[in-house]
Amino acid sequence: MQLHVPSRRLTGAPAFWAVAAVYLLVLVSSGVPSPLYRVYQEEFGFSSGLLTVVFAVYALALLASLLVVGALSDHIGRRPVLVVGLVVQAAGMVLFLLADGVGWLLAARVVQGFATGAMTGAFGAALMDLQARDRPLAPVVNSATPGLGLAVGAVGAGLLVEFVPAPTEWVFGVLTALFLLFAVGVLLVLPESSPRRPGARASLRPTLTVPPPQRRPFLLVMPCLAATWAFGGLAASLGPSLSAEVFGIDDHFLGTLGVAAINGTGVIASLAMRNAAPRRSLLVGALVFATGVAGTVVSLLTAWTWLYFLTAVVSGWGFGAAFLGSVAVVTQDVAPGSRAGLMSALFTFGYVSFSVPAVAAGVASGRWGLAATAEVFGVVVVLSALVAVVGLLLQQRRTAAPSLARAPADTPA
């Protein structure tokens, strides 16, 4: 006689939302340093150019991780990658706790970026693995979670800076404990959603894996991804400094509201457009985003604070809708064994757009000023978004033309 021992592992919707919760925590920690950059800048005395380098090393480390281990969970399983990544995240938080100079900040961000990159593909793929077939929520969660995490992290850290005597000790101490706790939770209760497959060692060669059926959709969404993520990178790295210099907002909490507005309304847009056709979401989002960023440029030229925050909301809504459409278009009908690699390629391109233009803006601001640099940056972003709109419309016209040609002619009665 055999005794049946019930499994302690989660299944179905609880497992899906558990993965989403862990993913959210990782991205909250990514947003935390944004309002602290000014604190560190004042404490350690470094320039805006070096500030964007501190910001960008996170994204560069994340990119390296995505390229090397981004597809690893397709071969060894999702759970081992997530457990190790969470432990490494905890180590990054300890480095932030010990930071007493720019070198420590750079090291902390490198460790944090590498851990986040290692987990990004696994998170995206696990959500696709665990979603209900009749309710495909993975594209919504994959597109909404980055914005929600960055917004919560930035606002939470901004509040701590204003109202808590030792904000860095509080925030990074709590995050260290949470990452270790979540690592144990993933190990003990999260199911493995992807079987082991051969080729783990070969997957470690730096490469971008976009399956042939997804290559044309990937090219289609690239201009929009570049525009939205570049603007997000500028807001995350220089947004608080821009608020202080152009609009005279010295309050750390208020300085983070522009960042929070962009990311928070992106979440609302993802939820509002979740039932829309992917290409429609992408098209509407790109147009709204371009309108919002154009308004932001006007606000910088006129120094109208109210317009700056209003257009941040508009840009964020467009960002969320466009990113939702991009993820849904690219991941449609992707094979299970290619999911982590494809999500890693998608986020690799996104984080390149997130980091490299922001570093260029930080360097340029030292010569031409922060406001002028942001204005030119905004114009370039608007043009890139409009290129995506034109590409979508031309692709729709090419798709519609053969359909009309094949339609049978009306036959008289």
Side-chain angles (χ1 to χ4, degrees):
M1 178 176 164
Q2 292 182 338
L3 295 176
H4 174 68
V5 179
S7 174
R8 294 175 298 174
R9 299 202 183 277
L10 299 174
T11 58
F16 177 88
W17 292 112
V19 172
V22 182
Y23 191 18
L24 179 63
L25 175 67
V26 170
L27 291 167
V28 165
S29 74
S30 300
V32 160
S34 287
L36 298 176
Y37 287 141
R38 278 186 61 211
V39 176
Y40 287 127
Q41 189 178 17
E42 293 164 3
E43 184 177 348
F44 302 146
F46 52 85
S47 65
S48 295
L50 188 53
L51 186 154
T52 55
V53 171
V54 174
F55 159 79
V57 293
Y58 162 80
L60 295 176
L62 189 152
L63 289 170
S65 182
L66 278 171
L67 290 171
V68 176
V69 298
L72 185 62
S73 75
D74 281 335
H75 302 278
I76 68 171
R78 317 297 185 205
R79 199 169 61 210
V81 173
L82 295 181
V83 171
V84 174
L86 290 168
V87 173
V88 176
Q89 281 280 8
M93 299 304 103
V94 172
L95 290 175
F96 274 115
L97 278 171
L98 299 174
D100 60 0
V102 176
W104 283 92
L105 293 181
L106 291 170
R109 286 299 266 173
V110 167
V111 172
Q112 185 186 34
F114 188 86
T116 303
M119 291 186 286
T120 295
F123 276 127
L127 289 169
M128 284 190 278
D129 296 340
L130 296 168
Q131 69 183 345
R133 291 187 178 182
D134 58 338
R135 294 188 67 201
L137 293 175
V140 177
V141 176
N142 274 319
S143 60
T145 304
L148 180 60
L150 292 172
V152 171
V155 172
L159 285 170
L160 288 173
V161 169
E162 286 300 318
F163 301 111
V164 174
T168 54
E169 287 83 353
W170 270 95
V171 68
F172 294 120
V174 169
L175 285 173
T176 300
L178 285 175
F179 278 129
L180 293 175
L181 181 64
F182 275 48
V184 173
V186 168
L187 182 64
L188 295 180
V189 303
L190 198 67
E192 180 52 71
S193 61
S194 179
R196 289 178 177 268
R197 295 182 177 89
R201 183 175 296 180
S203 74
L204 297 179
R205 290 196 298 267
T207 184
L208 291 178
T209 306
V210 180
Q214 276 72 44
R215 288 175 187 173
R216 182 170 291 180
F218 197 96
L219 291 172
L220 185 67
V221 306
M222 282 176 65
C224 189
L225 279 177
T228 51
W229 281 69
F231 187 71
L234 181 73
S237 60
L238 295 176
S241 300
L242 199 62
S243 297
E245 180 176 313
V246 177
F247 304 105
I249 301 173
D250 293 321
D251 185 287
H252 290 279
F253 171 64
L254 293 178
T256 64
L257 288 183
V259 180
I262 292 170
N263 292 297
T265 51
V267 176
I268 296 172
S270 297
L271 296 174
M273 299 293 288
R274 67 186 183 279
N275 294 323
R279 290 173 191 269
R280 177 176 174 78
S281 179
L282 179 57
L283 180 62
V284 171
L287 286 170
V288 173
F289 173 77
T291 301
V293 177
T296 299
V297 172
V298 174
S299 74
L300 295 174
L301 291 169
T302 58
W304 290 346
T305 306
W306 65 269
L307 183 60
Y308 175 71
F309 285 108
L310 175 62
T311 54
V313 170
V314 176
S315 302
W317 199 98
F319 190 154
F323 189 47
L324 169 64
S326 298
V327 172
V329 166
V330 172
T331 60
Q332 191 170 17
D333 299 325
V334 61
S338 302
R339 287 171 177 171
L342 177 60
M343 291 302 299
S344 296
L346 184 70
F347 279 103
T348 295
F349 183 77
Y351 277 107
V352 167
S353 303
F354 191 71
S355 56
V356 174
V359 173
V363 173
S365 67
R367 180 171 183 178
W368 290 292
L370 190 55
T373 300
E375 290 158 8
V376 174
F377 194 100
V379 171
V380 174
V381 162
V382 169
L383 293 175
S384 182
L386 293 178
V387 167
V389 171
V390 173
L392 274 167
L393 294 175
L394 289 175
Q395 197 273 341
Q396 288 179 358
R397 173 178 285 185
R398 285 195 298 267
T399 303
S403 300
L404 291 173
R406 289 193 300 268
D410 291 339
T411 304

